[in-house]
Structures are given as structure tokens and as C-alpha cells.
Amino acid sequence: MKKVISVVGARPNFIKIAPVHKAFEAYRNSVTHLICHTGQHFDEKLSRIFFDDLEMPQPDFYLGVGSASHAEQTARIMIEFEKVLLDEKPDMIIVPGDVNSTMAASLVASKMGTGIAHIEAGLRSFDRTMPEEINRIVTDSLSDLLFVSEMSGMKNLSNEGISGDKVFFAGNVMIDSLVHYQPRFSRSHIHRKLGIEPGNYILTTFHRPANVDHREGLSKLVEFLNTCATYRNVIFAVHPRTDKMLKQYDLKDRFSKNVLLTEPLGYIEFLALIQKASLVVTDSGGIQEETTFLSVPCITIRDNTERPVTVSEGTNYLAGTQLKGVERLVEDILKGSAKKGKIPELWDGKTAERIVKIVVRHLNEG
Ligand code: UDP
């Protein structure tokens, strides 16, 4: 029997590993697939609800690292994960995405000679002030199998000199979850629960430090959302980090009454809201992809994106963090000028199956 441990720590990781866990079921006689949750996100709304919504088993290992500075969190994950590797001696670990857990687990595995498969390899924003970019570069440089979700990733890895025989263009696992749960979220009652009309609202999320950590930027964002709310009701699913900053800067009661603030929502409810939104405004990575797949217009309030296919082929607009001219773009999109977009190659709901097949082949060859 071979053993594989997938390491998850944060909200987007759970969504990416759920289909991988399901795909391993086809190999249950030859591979044991275990899940290690580092506890990077521990909030009920960012963690437990996703295990329930995505029908994932309780994690086999819980490291309980909690939040801390980047160095401290990374170090704690490394210390705790080393113990898991020493006890379990897996044949390979799988790390999705670009969070501290991704990089920390990769560093430990690589020093212990354990194989690493990175899901969502090759994405680059070319902005090293983003902690995620550092996590991506380090993880890719240590990985034995690199699974790429969009063509830009193939080019980036090749430019970095990573040997092509380790790299696989596999598609997008986040879209696997979306495809699997679409029948369920299409029946969600969230619109009724929030008292909003499907097809007639703007959905927003913000959590990136560049947007929420500074008073001036965050108050400009609040004003911008108030302007958006003059066109349509705005639903703002507030990330705990953003909530903390809004409170710290006394901005929580500066929202107009047409901006509905909610706690972070569960996966099924949130996807139901994306599907019926007139427009999504965000700084999230994954939401740029989900809106592209669902053909919902998306404005990304960032200066760069590591997911350029969502702009070149999808429905995403990269609008910058200065919010210059963005109100006009919002207005134009709501008047019907949004690009239609198309679904990128291999975003077909079968990515996890392809990935697991390659992982199993690699284990059997090794
Ligand atoms: N999401 C969710 N509830 C929310 C906000 C986001 O379920 O209230 C989902 C979203 O649909 C996507 C994922 O969380 O699947 C994105 O996570 P996040 O924006 O935290 O991380 P990023 O993708 O930016 O790394």
C-alpha cells in the first residue's frame, strides 16, 4: 500500500483538495490518501463549514498552528508537519495553491526526501511583495510533480528552468468542485435568506493586505462600494481579516444601507451568489476563475493577476488598486457591455482524476 498526504491550511485549499480526495477513491486498494489540516485557517466560517459543504472526512492530522506572523506561522507548520512525516513516512505529499502551509510543508518534505506534488503550479503575479508569490516560487522549485491549471503556468515554469518532464498541464481542480456542486448550489435558498433578487446585485469580497491593511486604501474601498450600491444592492462577504481592519479603522458604519455585510459564507451559498450576480468585484484569486467558468463579469481590484487566462479568455477585468475609472467600468458592465468570455482549456471538472492518475503512476514507477 502506498501512502499520500495532502496538506491543506486555508479556505481555497479545502476546495482544491476535495475533488482530489474523491479521485483517490478509485485507487483505495493501492493508495491510502490522508488529509493534514495545518490549522492556518481555524475560524469555523473559513474551515469547518467547507469540510461539511464539500463532504470531506475530518482531517487525519490537525496541526493547530493558528494565525501568527508569516515567519512564525511557517515555522510552526514546519515543526508540527515534520512530526507527521516522521510518524507516517508517506510516499508523497500533495500541496495545493500558494498559502504558507503549501510552502512550509514542501520545505519539510523536500528535506526529508519525500516527493512533492504541487497543484496549481506555475502561476505567477511577478509581484514579490505578495506573500503568495514567494510561496509559489519556493514550492514549485521543490516539487517533483507540477500540475498546471492554465497555459501561462507552463510558460512561467519553463522560463524558470523547471524540467518539462515534471510538469503536467492538468486543468483546474477548483472548477472540479464547482462542476460537482453546481446542481446543489443552483438549488440554494441563499437569495431568499438574504432577501435579495437573483440576477440583480453586485457581490464583493476583499482580503488582500494591499487592499485592506491601510486606512486610506480601505476607506476608499468603502466609498467605492457605496458608489456601486447606487447602481445595485451590494453584498459584501467580509473576511475576518477585513472585518478586523474595518473595526480598527472605525469604518464599519460608513457603509450605505444598500451594502449588505455578511460573515464569510459557506461554499454552496457563496457559489449560488456568484452564479446569479450581475457583477462580482473582488481581490480573490479563486473567484476570478469561478466567475470566468460561470460567465459572470468580474472586476479584480488588484494591480496584477497570477491567473491571466481569466482576463485574456474569461470574464475578468483587472482594474488596479487605485480605483481610477472603475466606477465607469461598473456602470458599463451593468448596462450590458461585459465581455462574454469562454471557458479555458481543460477546465472540465475532470482535473483531479487526471492528477491522481499521474500521481499513482509516479508512485508505482518510483
Ligand atoms: N468563498 C466562499 N465564501 C466566501 C468567500 C469566498 O466560499 O464568503 C470561496 C470562493 O468561492 C472561492 C474561495 O473561497 O472558492 C476563494 O478563497 P479566497 O478568496 O479566500 O482565497 P484566494 O482564492 O484569493 O486564495
Side-chain angles (χ1 to χ4, degrees), residues 11-12 15 50 98 174 205 207-208 237 239 264-267 270-271 274 283-287 290:
R11 172 165 74 184
I15 300 160
F50 287 86
D98 55 18
M174 202 159 210
T205 73
H207 68 282
R208 298 242 112 77
H239 190 282
L265 295 158
Y267 181 71
F270 194 74
L271 266 288
I274 295 182
D283 60 8
S284 159
I287 294 172
E290 291 163 337

PDB file of all heavy atoms in Angstrom, residues 11-12 15 50 98 174 205 207-208 237 239 264-267 270-271 274 283-287 290, ligand 1:
ATOM      1  N   ARG A  11      -8.931  28.341   3.381  1.00  0.00           N
ATOM      2  CA  ARG A  11     -10.196  28.153   2.646  1.00  0.00           C
ATOM      3  C   ARG A  11     -10.028  27.641   1.211  1.00  0.00           C
ATOM      4  O   ARG A  11     -10.629  26.612   0.866  1.00  0.00           O
ATOM      5  CB  ARG A  11     -10.967  29.483   2.680  1.00  0.00           C
ATOM      6  CG  ARG A  11     -12.197  29.531   1.810  1.00  0.00           C
ATOM      7  CD  ARG A  11     -13.075  30.698   2.170  1.00  0.00           C
ATOM      8  NE  ARG A  11     -12.552  31.970   1.723  1.00  0.00           N
ATOM      9  CZ  ARG A  11     -13.123  33.154   2.001  1.00  0.00           C
ATOM     10  NH1 ARG A  11     -14.211  33.221   2.722  1.00  0.00           N
ATOM     11  NH2 ARG A  11     -12.602  34.276   1.555  1.00  0.00           N
ATOM     12  N   PRO A  12      -9.235  28.316   0.362  1.00  0.00           N
ATOM     13  CA  PRO A  12      -9.186  27.816  -1.030  1.00  0.00           C
ATOM     14  C   PRO A  12      -8.580  26.412  -1.131  1.00  0.00           C
ATOM     15  O   PRO A  12      -8.916  25.659  -2.056  1.00  0.00           O
ATOM     16  CB  PRO A  12      -8.315  28.858  -1.746  1.00  0.00           C
ATOM     17  CG  PRO A  12      -7.626  29.634  -0.683  1.00  0.00           C
ATOM     18  CD  PRO A  12      -8.476  29.568   0.543  1.00  0.00           C
ATOM     19  N   ILE A  15     -11.211  23.601  -0.978  1.00  0.00           N
ATOM     20  CA  ILE A  15     -11.993  23.477  -2.217  1.00  0.00           C
ATOM     21  C   ILE A  15     -11.180  22.728  -3.280  1.00  0.00           C
ATOM     22  O   ILE A  15     -11.727  21.980  -4.085  1.00  0.00           O
ATOM     23  CB  ILE A  15     -12.403  24.894  -2.692  1.00  0.00           C
ATOM     24  CG1 ILE A  15     -13.247  25.562  -1.601  1.00  0.00           C
ATOM     25  CG2 ILE A  15     -13.140  24.855  -4.023  1.00  0.00           C
ATOM     26  CD1 ILE A  15     -13.328  27.070  -1.697  1.00  0.00           C
ATOM     27  N   PHE A  50     -16.451  24.259   5.290  1.00  0.00           N
ATOM     28  CA  PHE A  50     -16.022  23.750   3.982  1.00  0.00           C
ATOM     29  C   PHE A  50     -15.895  22.229   3.981  1.00  0.00           C
ATOM     30  O   PHE A  50     -16.212  21.580   2.996  1.00  0.00           O
ATOM     31  CB  PHE A  50     -14.711  24.428   3.546  1.00  0.00           C
ATOM     32  CG  PHE A  50     -14.971  25.838   3.135  1.00  0.00           C
ATOM     33  CD1 PHE A  50     -14.993  26.853   4.075  1.00  0.00           C
ATOM     34  CD2 PHE A  50     -15.293  26.142   1.827  1.00  0.00           C
ATOM     35  CE1 PHE A  50     -15.304  28.143   3.719  1.00  0.00           C
ATOM     36  CE2 PHE A  50     -15.607  27.428   1.453  1.00  0.00           C
ATOM     37  CZ  PHE A  50     -15.610  28.435   2.401  1.00  0.00           C
ATOM     38  N   ASP A  98      -1.095  28.307  -2.787  1.00  0.00           N
ATOM     39  CA  ASP A  98       0.026  29.229  -2.557  1.00  0.00           C
ATOM     40  C   ASP A  98       0.042  29.819  -1.151  1.00  0.00           C
ATOM     41  O   ASP A  98       0.524  30.929  -0.941  1.00  0.00           O
ATOM     42  CB  ASP A  98      -0.049  30.364  -3.583  1.00  0.00           C
ATOM     43  CG  ASP A  98      -1.402  31.077  -3.558  1.00  0.00           C
ATOM     44  OD1 ASP A  98      -2.130  30.928  -2.557  1.00  0.00           O
ATOM     45  OD2 ASP A  98      -1.731  31.780  -4.528  1.00  0.00           O
ATOM     46  N   MET A 174     -10.189  23.610  -8.851  1.00  0.00           N
ATOM     47  CA  MET A 174     -11.244  24.399  -8.205  1.00  0.00           C
ATOM     48  C   MET A 174     -12.540  24.299  -9.033  1.00  0.00           C
ATOM     49  O   MET A 174     -13.638  24.272  -8.489  1.00  0.00           O
ATOM     50  CB  MET A 174     -10.789  25.842  -8.134  1.00  0.00           C
ATOM     51  CG  MET A 174     -11.486  26.602  -7.077  1.00  0.00           C
ATOM     52  SD  MET A 174     -10.526  28.040  -6.657  1.00  0.00           S
ATOM     53  CE  MET A 174     -10.980  28.229  -4.965  1.00  0.00           C
ATOM     54  N   THR A 205     -15.888  40.591  -2.382  1.00  0.00           N
ATOM     55  CA  THR A 205     -15.047  40.103  -1.278  1.00  0.00           C
ATOM     56  C   THR A 205     -13.705  40.821  -1.382  1.00  0.00           C
ATOM     57  O   THR A 205     -13.251  41.109  -2.499  1.00  0.00           O
ATOM     58  CB  THR A 205     -14.729  38.589  -1.358  1.00  0.00           C
ATOM     59  OG1 THR A 205     -13.776  38.361  -2.411  1.00  0.00           O
ATOM     60  CG2 THR A 205     -15.943  37.736  -1.569  1.00  0.00           C
ATOM     61  N   HIS A 207      -9.766  40.674   0.741  1.00  0.00           N
ATOM     62  CA  HIS A 207      -8.963  40.257   1.892  1.00  0.00           C
ATOM     63  C   HIS A 207      -7.471  40.445   1.702  1.00  0.00           C
ATOM     64  O   HIS A 207      -6.693  40.179   2.605  1.00  0.00           O
ATOM     65  CB  HIS A 207      -9.259  38.803   2.271  1.00  0.00           C
ATOM     66  CG  HIS A 207      -8.787  37.801   1.257  1.00  0.00           C
ATOM     67  ND1 HIS A 207      -9.456  37.551   0.090  1.00  0.00           N
ATOM     68  CD2 HIS A 207      -7.703  36.993   1.239  1.00  0.00           C
ATOM     69  CE1 HIS A 207      -8.813  36.616  -0.602  1.00  0.00           C
ATOM     70  NE2 HIS A 207      -7.750  36.262   0.062  1.00  0.00           N
ATOM     71  N   ARG A 208      -7.039  40.899   0.529  1.00  0.00           N
ATOM     72  CA  ARG A 208      -5.594  41.015   0.300  1.00  0.00           C
ATOM     73  C   ARG A 208      -5.033  42.203   1.070  1.00  0.00           C
ATOM     74  O   ARG A 208      -5.649  43.290   1.085  1.00  0.00           O
ATOM     75  CB  ARG A 208      -5.296  41.192  -1.195  1.00  0.00           C
ATOM     76  CG  ARG A 208      -5.739  40.017  -2.049  1.00  0.00           C
ATOM     77  CD  ARG A 208      -4.576  39.342  -2.764  1.00  0.00           C
ATOM     78  NE  ARG A 208      -4.345  38.012  -2.255  1.00  0.00           N
ATOM     79  CZ  ARG A 208      -5.086  36.935  -2.546  1.00  0.00           C
ATOM     80  NH1 ARG A 208      -6.128  37.013  -3.327  1.00  0.00           N
ATOM     81  NH2 ARG A 208      -4.767  35.772  -2.028  1.00  0.00           N
ATOM     82  N   ALA A 237     -19.290  39.864   1.453  1.00  0.00           N
ATOM     83  CA  ALA A 237     -18.994  38.754   2.381  1.00  0.00           C
ATOM     84  C   ALA A 237     -17.637  39.062   3.015  1.00  0.00           C
ATOM     85  O   ALA A 237     -16.595  38.924   2.370  1.00  0.00           O
ATOM     86  CB  ALA A 237     -18.960  37.429   1.626  1.00  0.00           C
ATOM     87  N   HIS A 239     -14.350  38.952   4.992  1.00  0.00           N
ATOM     88  CA  HIS A 239     -13.318  38.050   5.507  1.00  0.00           C
ATOM     89  C   HIS A 239     -12.911  38.526   6.915  1.00  0.00           C
ATOM     90  O   HIS A 239     -12.876  39.734   7.176  1.00  0.00           O
ATOM     91  CB  HIS A 239     -12.130  38.147   4.540  1.00  0.00           C
ATOM     92  CG  HIS A 239     -11.052  37.137   4.739  1.00  0.00           C
ATOM     93  ND1 HIS A 239     -10.111  37.238   5.729  1.00  0.00           N
ATOM     94  CD2 HIS A 239     -10.752  36.006   4.051  1.00  0.00           C
ATOM     95  CE1 HIS A 239      -9.276  36.213   5.642  1.00  0.00           C
ATOM     96  NE2 HIS A 239      -9.643  35.453   4.635  1.00  0.00           N
ATOM     97  N   PRO A 264     -18.255  35.585   6.315  1.00  0.00           N
ATOM     98  CA  PRO A 264     -17.864  34.714   5.202  1.00  0.00           C
ATOM     99  C   PRO A 264     -18.916  33.613   5.058  1.00  0.00           C
ATOM    100  O   PRO A 264     -19.409  33.092   6.052  1.00  0.00           O
ATOM    101  CB  PRO A 264     -16.530  34.117   5.655  1.00  0.00           C
ATOM    102  CG  PRO A 264     -16.053  34.963   6.772  1.00  0.00           C
ATOM    103  CD  PRO A 264     -17.248  35.616   7.387  1.00  0.00           C
ATOM    104  N   LEU A 265     -19.248  33.297   3.813  1.00  0.00           N
ATOM    105  CA  LEU A 265     -20.311  32.307   3.588  1.00  0.00           C
ATOM    106  C   LEU A 265     -19.711  30.956   3.261  1.00  0.00           C
ATOM    107  O   LEU A 265     -18.559  30.860   2.827  1.00  0.00           O
ATOM    108  CB  LEU A 265     -21.213  32.787   2.450  1.00  0.00           C
ATOM    109  CG  LEU A 265     -21.974  34.071   2.808  1.00  0.00           C
ATOM    110  CD1 LEU A 265     -22.404  34.817   1.558  1.00  0.00           C
ATOM    111  CD2 LEU A 265     -23.176  33.753   3.683  1.00  0.00           C
ATOM    112  N   GLY A 266     -20.518  29.933   3.426  1.00  0.00           N
ATOM    113  CA  GLY A 266     -20.097  28.584   3.055  1.00  0.00           C
ATOM    114  C   GLY A 266     -19.989  28.467   1.541  1.00  0.00           C
ATOM    115  O   GLY A 266     -20.466  29.331   0.795  1.00  0.00           O
ATOM    116  N   TYR A 267     -19.341  27.394   1.110  1.00  0.00           N
ATOM    117  CA  TYR A 267     -19.060  27.221  -0.315  1.00  0.00           C
ATOM    118  C   TYR A 267     -20.331  27.192  -1.161  1.00  0.00           C
ATOM    119  O   TYR A 267     -20.435  27.888  -2.171  1.00  0.00           O
ATOM    120  CB  TYR A 267     -18.264  25.923  -0.494  1.00  0.00           C
ATOM    121  CG  TYR A 267     -17.888  25.645  -1.921  1.00  0.00           C
ATOM    122  CD1 TYR A 267     -16.937  26.404  -2.567  1.00  0.00           C
ATOM    123  CD2 TYR A 267     -18.509  24.616  -2.633  1.00  0.00           C
ATOM    124  CE1 TYR A 267     -16.588  26.164  -3.884  1.00  0.00           C
ATOM    125  CE2 TYR A 267     -18.164  24.356  -3.955  1.00  0.00           C
ATOM    126  CZ  TYR A 267     -17.207  25.142  -4.566  1.00  0.00           C
ATOM    127  OH  TYR A 267     -16.882  24.904  -5.874  1.00  0.00           O
ATOM    128  N   PHE A 270     -22.065  30.590  -1.234  1.00  0.00           N
ATOM    129  CA  PHE A 270     -21.294  31.616  -1.948  1.00  0.00           C
ATOM    130  C   PHE A 270     -21.324  31.386  -3.455  1.00  0.00           C
ATOM    131  O   PHE A 270     -21.480  32.326  -4.237  1.00  0.00           O
ATOM    132  CB  PHE A 270     -19.856  31.680  -1.422  1.00  0.00           C
ATOM    133  CG  PHE A 270     -19.164  32.920  -1.873  1.00  0.00           C
ATOM    134  CD1 PHE A 270     -19.480  34.154  -1.316  1.00  0.00           C
ATOM    135  CD2 PHE A 270     -18.231  32.889  -2.900  1.00  0.00           C
ATOM    136  CE1 PHE A 270     -18.878  35.322  -1.759  1.00  0.00           C
ATOM    137  CE2 PHE A 270     -17.621  34.054  -3.349  1.00  0.00           C
ATOM    138  CZ  PHE A 270     -17.943  35.268  -2.772  1.00  0.00           C
ATOM    139  N   LEU A 271     -21.183  30.124  -3.878  1.00  0.00           N
ATOM    140  CA  LEU A 271     -21.243  29.841  -5.321  1.00  0.00           C
ATOM    141  C   LEU A 271     -22.621  30.174  -5.886  1.00  0.00           C
ATOM    142  O   LEU A 271     -22.737  30.641  -7.020  1.00  0.00           O
ATOM    143  CB  LEU A 271     -20.868  28.377  -5.587  1.00  0.00           C
ATOM    144  CG  LEU A 271     -19.402  28.092  -5.927  1.00  0.00           C
ATOM    145  CD1 LEU A 271     -19.059  28.591  -7.327  1.00  0.00           C
ATOM    146  CD2 LEU A 271     -18.438  28.733  -4.950  1.00  0.00           C
ATOM    147  N   ILE A 274     -22.472  33.828  -6.501  1.00  0.00           N
ATOM    148  CA  ILE A 274     -21.689  34.186  -7.698  1.00  0.00           C
ATOM    149  C   ILE A 274     -22.525  33.928  -8.945  1.00  0.00           C
ATOM    150  O   ILE A 274     -22.623  34.765  -9.840  1.00  0.00           O
ATOM    151  CB  ILE A 274     -20.378  33.350  -7.810  1.00  0.00           C
ATOM    152  CG1 ILE A 274     -19.413  33.655  -6.675  1.00  0.00           C
ATOM    153  CG2 ILE A 274     -19.704  33.615  -9.158  1.00  0.00           C
ATOM    154  CD1 ILE A 274     -18.077  32.892  -6.778  1.00  0.00           C
ATOM    155  N   ASP A 283     -10.801  40.793  -4.813  1.00  0.00           N
ATOM    156  CA  ASP A 283      -9.346  40.675  -4.965  1.00  0.00           C
ATOM    157  C   ASP A 283      -8.920  39.219  -4.747  1.00  0.00           C
ATOM    158  O   ASP A 283      -7.751  38.926  -4.551  1.00  0.00           O
ATOM    159  CB  ASP A 283      -8.603  41.629  -4.018  1.00  0.00           C
ATOM    160  CG  ASP A 283      -8.893  41.374  -2.544  1.00  0.00           C
ATOM    161  OD1 ASP A 283      -9.551  40.367  -2.211  1.00  0.00           O
ATOM    162  OD2 ASP A 283      -8.461  42.202  -1.719  1.00  0.00           O
ATOM    163  N   SER A 284      -9.877  38.314  -4.779  1.00  0.00           N
ATOM    164  CA  SER A 284      -9.593  36.889  -4.572  1.00  0.00           C
ATOM    165  C   SER A 284      -8.962  36.274  -5.823  1.00  0.00           C
ATOM    166  O   SER A 284      -9.235  36.702  -6.944  1.00  0.00           O
ATOM    167  CB  SER A 284     -10.918  36.180  -4.259  1.00  0.00           C
ATOM    168  OG  SER A 284     -10.829  34.799  -4.521  1.00  0.00           O
ATOM    169  N   GLY A 285      -8.154  35.251  -5.626  1.00  0.00           N
ATOM    170  CA  GLY A 285      -7.622  34.520  -6.765  1.00  0.00           C
ATOM    171  C   GLY A 285      -8.665  33.580  -7.344  1.00  0.00           C
ATOM    172  O   GLY A 285      -9.021  33.664  -8.523  1.00  0.00           O
ATOM    173  N   GLY A 286      -9.203  32.704  -6.493  1.00  0.00           N
ATOM    174  CA  GLY A 286     -10.123  31.670  -6.970  1.00  0.00           C
ATOM    175  C   GLY A 286     -11.402  32.234  -7.581  1.00  0.00           C
ATOM    176  O   GLY A 286     -11.935  31.663  -8.542  1.00  0.00           O
ATOM    177  N   ILE A 287     -11.873  33.345  -7.049  1.00  0.00           N
ATOM    178  CA  ILE A 287     -13.145  33.887  -7.549  1.00  0.00           C
ATOM    179  C   ILE A 287     -12.999  34.397  -8.995  1.00  0.00           C
ATOM    180  O   ILE A 287     -13.945  34.327  -9.779  1.00  0.00           O
ATOM    181  CB  ILE A 287     -13.683  34.974  -6.582  1.00  0.00           C
ATOM    182  CG1 ILE A 287     -14.045  34.305  -5.243  1.00  0.00           C
ATOM    183  CG2 ILE A 287     -14.891  35.704  -7.168  1.00  0.00           C
ATOM    184  CD1 ILE A 287     -14.405  35.270  -4.124  1.00  0.00           C
ATOM    185  N   GLU A 290     -13.725  31.213 -10.873  1.00  0.00           N
ATOM    186  CA  GLU A 290     -15.118  30.741 -10.793  1.00  0.00           C
ATOM    187  C   GLU A 290     -16.049  31.626 -11.626  1.00  0.00           C
ATOM    188  O   GLU A 290     -16.959  31.123 -12.296  1.00  0.00           O
ATOM    189  CB  GLU A 290     -15.555  30.714  -9.319  1.00  0.00           C
ATOM    190  CG  GLU A 290     -14.829  29.616  -8.553  1.00  0.00           C
ATOM    191  CD  GLU A 290     -14.887  29.755  -7.032  1.00  0.00           C
ATOM    192  OE1 GLU A 290     -15.086  30.876  -6.530  1.00  0.00           O
ATOM    193  OE2 GLU A 290     -14.707  28.747  -6.344  1.00  0.00           O
TER     194      GLU A 290
HETATM  195  N1  UDP B   1     -15.567  31.739  -0.872  1.00  0.00           N
HETATM  196  C1  UDP B   1     -16.557  31.230  -0.052  1.00  0.00           C
HETATM  197  N2  UDP B   1     -17.203  32.073   0.813  1.00  0.00           N
HETATM  198  C2  UDP B   1     -16.918  33.397   0.888  1.00  0.00           C
HETATM  199  C3  UDP B   1     -15.912  33.919   0.044  1.00  0.00           C
HETATM  200  C4  UDP B   1     -15.232  33.060  -0.818  1.00  0.00           C
HETATM  201  O1  UDP B   1     -16.873  30.034  -0.114  1.00  0.00           O
HETATM  202  O2  UDP B   1     -17.542  34.111   1.693  1.00  0.00           O
HETATM  203  C5  UDP B   1     -14.850  30.814  -1.783  1.00  0.00           C
HETATM  204  C6  UDP B   1     -14.772  31.259  -3.215  1.00  0.00           C
HETATM  205  O3  UDP B   1     -15.917  30.903  -3.953  1.00  0.00           O
HETATM  206  C7  UDP B   1     -13.537  30.522  -3.697  1.00  0.00           C
HETATM  207  C8  UDP B   1     -12.636  30.538  -2.477  1.00  0.00           C
HETATM  208  O4  UDP B   1     -13.493  30.759  -1.364  1.00  0.00           O
HETATM  209  O5  UDP B   1     -13.878  29.183  -3.994  1.00  0.00           O
HETATM  210  C9  UDP B   1     -11.618  31.639  -2.612  1.00  0.00           C
HETATM  211  O6  UDP B   1     -10.963  31.808  -1.431  1.00  0.00           O
HETATM  212  P1  UDP B   1     -10.172  33.138  -1.080  1.00  0.00           P
HETATM  213  O7  UDP B   1     -10.733  34.282  -1.838  1.00  0.00           O
HETATM  214  O8  UDP B   1     -10.147  33.214   0.402  1.00  0.00           O
HETATM  215  O9  UDP B   1      -8.696  32.793  -1.499  1.00  0.00           O
HETATM  216  P2  UDP B   1      -7.839  33.065  -2.811  1.00  0.00           P
HETATM  217  O10 UDP B   1      -8.502  32.331  -3.924  1.00  0.00           O
HETATM  218  O11 UDP B   1      -7.774  34.538  -3.009  1.00  0.00           O
HETATM  219  O12 UDP B   1      -6.505  32.489  -2.485  1.00  0.00           O
END
